[in-house]
């Protein structure tokens, strides 16, 4: 058996050589697919030698898995989309705060948890898309106005079961209260031209096909479709520019409660909020960097600038349960 002296000597050697193998690895559970994250992780490994292992799945099973693994957890970080999901993870008790001046400097406070349990990495606006041959931009103004008679039989929406729409509804409740929000949502549901769709791309394709004239989508879905079809007869509109601004949500990351490599994980998150990673991470999916010092890609910049809602996005989580009940009552399936 090794003596205490031997153990200390071995430890000193490990520390001095700087190759503490366990710390040279970070494990990420990601609900974002390989192609959106691998280039970023590869860049970090090339720079630092730190290996990043990741598995991808839907956010709910990943969160359950972290919960079930408990103290024997293998994941250091949970990477997912939407403040509603990150807030949920925090509530499940599977995240721990990262106190970091670097992160606090890089990411504006409305895109982080006040508890420091997670931080945003990239931003997406959930905005109005319209058919350029059937809608004039001056016909559009606010999310609320899509409930007006003028849009009867002309609106397409994604299912209310998707967290993106629950988060949008949560911010409406924060602004207008329950009663008025319910009227707005009922108005939207009344104006639907067809059943709700399972994803945002289908909403855009329905607009293109003439099934409806307007819809609400995340910007990167528009970016993807527009890239594939440069002549796409659809444009993005930035609503609520005279009041609170466009609803912006995020992809983000949090340190797990029982992370085996908390220091290495923290260093990775700090790097991910910095300039080099922000550019890479945002550009891959045509998103906006969460670090406001970093410019979006030219493709994204071409959509134009807009005023974003400055509401802290964690409201999406805080009011999620309320939003789901309200959407249910209003018939948003
Ligand atoms: Fe998405």
């Amino acid at each position: 058996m090794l003596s205490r002296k031997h153990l200390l000597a071995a430890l000193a050697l490990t520390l001095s050589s700087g190759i503490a193998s366990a710390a040279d690895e970070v494990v990420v559970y990601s609900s974002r697919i390989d192609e959106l994250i691998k280039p970023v992780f590869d860049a970090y490994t090339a720079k630092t030698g730190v290996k990043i292992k990741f598995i991808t799945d839907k956010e709910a099973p990943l969160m359950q898995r972290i919960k079930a693994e408990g103290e024997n957890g293998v994941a250091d970080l949970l990477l997912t989309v939407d403040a509603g999901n990150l807030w949920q993870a925090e509530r499940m008790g599977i995240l721990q705060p990262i106190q970091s001046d670097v992160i606090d400097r890089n990411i504006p406070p409305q895109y982080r948890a006040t508890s420091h349990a997670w931080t945003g990495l990239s931003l997406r606006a959930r905005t109005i898309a319209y058919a350029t041959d059937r809608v004039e931009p001056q016909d559009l103004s606010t999310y609320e106005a899509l409930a007006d008679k003028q849009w009867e039989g002309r609106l397409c929406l994604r299912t209310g079961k998707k967290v993106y729409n629950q988060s949008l509804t949560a911010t409406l409740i924060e602004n207008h209260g329950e009663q008025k929000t319910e009227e707005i949502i009922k108005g939207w549901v009344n104006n639907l031209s067809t059943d709700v769709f399972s994803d945002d791309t289908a909403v855009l394709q329905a607009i293109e096909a003439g099934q409806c004239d307007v819809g609400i989508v995340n910007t990167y879905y528009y970016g993807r479709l527009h890239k594939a079809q440069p002549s796409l007869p659809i444009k993005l509109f930035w609503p609520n520019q005279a009041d609170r601004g466009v609803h912006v949500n995020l992809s983000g990351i949090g340190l797990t409660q029982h992370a085996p490599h908390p220091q290495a994980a923290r260093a990775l998150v700090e790097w991910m909020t910095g300039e080099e990673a922000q550019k890479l991470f945002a550009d891959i999916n045509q998103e906006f960097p969460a670090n406001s010092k970093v410019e979006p890609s030219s493709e994204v910049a071409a959509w134009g600038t807009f005023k974003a809602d400055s509401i802290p996005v964690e409201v999406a989580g805080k009011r999620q349960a309320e939003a789901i009940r309200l959407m249910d009552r209003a018939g948003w399936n």
Side-chain angles (χ1 to χ4, degrees):
M1 206 169 123
L2 281 172
S3 70
R4 189 182 152 82
K5 197 173 144 194
H6 279 118
L7 274 174
L8 285 174
L11 182 65
L13 186 69
T14 311
L15 289 177
S16 64
S17 66
I19 309 168
S21 63
D24 277 352
E25 177 183 294
V26 178
V27 180
V28 183
Y29 283 6
S30 169
S31 78
R32 308 206 81 188
I33 56 172
D34 290 27
E35 65 189 70
L36 298 183
I37 53 175
K38 196 172 179 300
V40 183
F41 292 159
D42 284 349
Y44 188 69
T45 302
K47 206 180 170 80
T48 61
V50 174
K51 289 196 179 57
I52 302 173
K53 289 186 188 160
F54 61 89
I55 61 158
T56 58
D57 200 343
K58 297 237 181 273
E59 58 266 358
L62 288 176
M63 281 154 58
Q64 283 306 332
R65 190 161 160 182
I66 295 169
K67 179 98 183 156
E69 285 169 354
E71 289 179 22
N72 303 315
V74 291
D76 294 295
L77 297 165
L78 172 68
L79 175 60
T80 187
V81 294
D82 206 285
N85 287 332
L86 288 155
W87 187 86
Q88 206 61 51
E90 184 183 354
R91 264 205 25 166
M92 285 170 70
I94 60 172
L95 300 181
Q96 60 171 308
I98 307 182
Q99 303 293 345
S100 162
D101 293 343
V102 176
I103 297 171
D104 290 357
R105 247 193 336 267
N106 285 341
I107 307 296
Q110 71 266 33
Y111 302 130
R112 295 186 260 118
T114 37
S115 65
H116 293 88
W118 50 264
T119 178
L121 292 175
S122 63
L123 307 177
R124 63 280 298 280
R126 191 155 189 77
T127 196
I128 298 174
Y130 67 94
T132 47
D133 55 350
R134 301 186 298 280
V135 178
E136 295 295 332
Q138 55 267 28
D139 298 339
L140 294 160
S141 57
T142 63
Y143 295 104
E144 291 82 346
L146 292 180
D148 294 350
K149 194 97 182 126
Q150 175 192 5
W151 300 106
E152 197 176 347
R154 301 175 70 190
L155 176 66
C156 276
L157 290 174
R158 183 177 184 157
T159 171
K161 306 278 181 287
K162 182 69 187 180
V163 69
Y164 301 156
N165 284 332
Q166 295 165 0
S167 294
L168 174 62
T169 304
T171 62
L172 286 172
I173 297 172
E174 180 78 9
N175 273 284
H176 298 299
E178 284 223 13
Q179 206 183 338
K180 187 168 176 210
T181 304
E182 193 165 334
E183 282 166 27
I184 296 162
I185 302 295
K186 277 185 179 153
W188 290 358
V189 171
N190 277 332
N191 285 344
L192 287 176
S193 71
T194 177
D195 284 347
V196 292
F197 292 91
S198 60
D199 64 68
D200 284 12
T201 303
V203 169
L204 290 164
Q205 286 166 335
I207 297 173
E208 186 194 5
Q211 251 185 307
C212 45
D213 298 337
V214 286
I216 299 176
V217 297
N218 280 1
T219 40
Y220 56 89
Y221 291 102
Y222 173 81
R224 280 181 207 164
L225 199 61
H226 185 262
K227 196 170 186 172
Q229 296 169 236
S231 63
L232 189 71
I234 299 175
K235 273 191 174 161
L236 295 175
F237 178 83
W238 308 120
N240 298 78
Q241 294 303 282
D243 48 72
R244 68 184 182 279
V246 179
H247 172 61
V248 168
N249 211 305
L250 47 79
S251 82
I253 198 161
L255 180 63
T256 67
Q257 182 68 49
H258 300 288
H261 320 105
Q263 297 309 328
R266 173 199 164 108
L268 172 62
V269 176
E270 287 182 337
W271 178 79
M272 287 182 87
T273 65
E275 230 164 287
E276 183 191 352
Q278 281 286 297
K279 192 90 197 99
L280 208 51
F281 191 67
D283 290 4
I284 293 173
N285 192 36
Q286 297 198 47
E287 292 184 83
F288 302 89
N291 181 331
S292 49
K293 279 161 285 194
V294 182
E295 293 291 322
S297 71
S298 56
E299 283 166 313
V300 170
W303 305 336
T305 55
F306 59 89
K307 175 183 169 187
D309 193 343
S310 62
I311 198 173
V313 282
E314 66 186 347
V315 159
K318 286 182 180 154
R319 292 197 180 273
Q320 189 182 71
E322 238 177 306
I324 291 171
R325 284 195 301 270
L326 187 152
M327 293 160 88
D328 208 42
R329 286 198 302 274
W332 191 351
N333 298 318

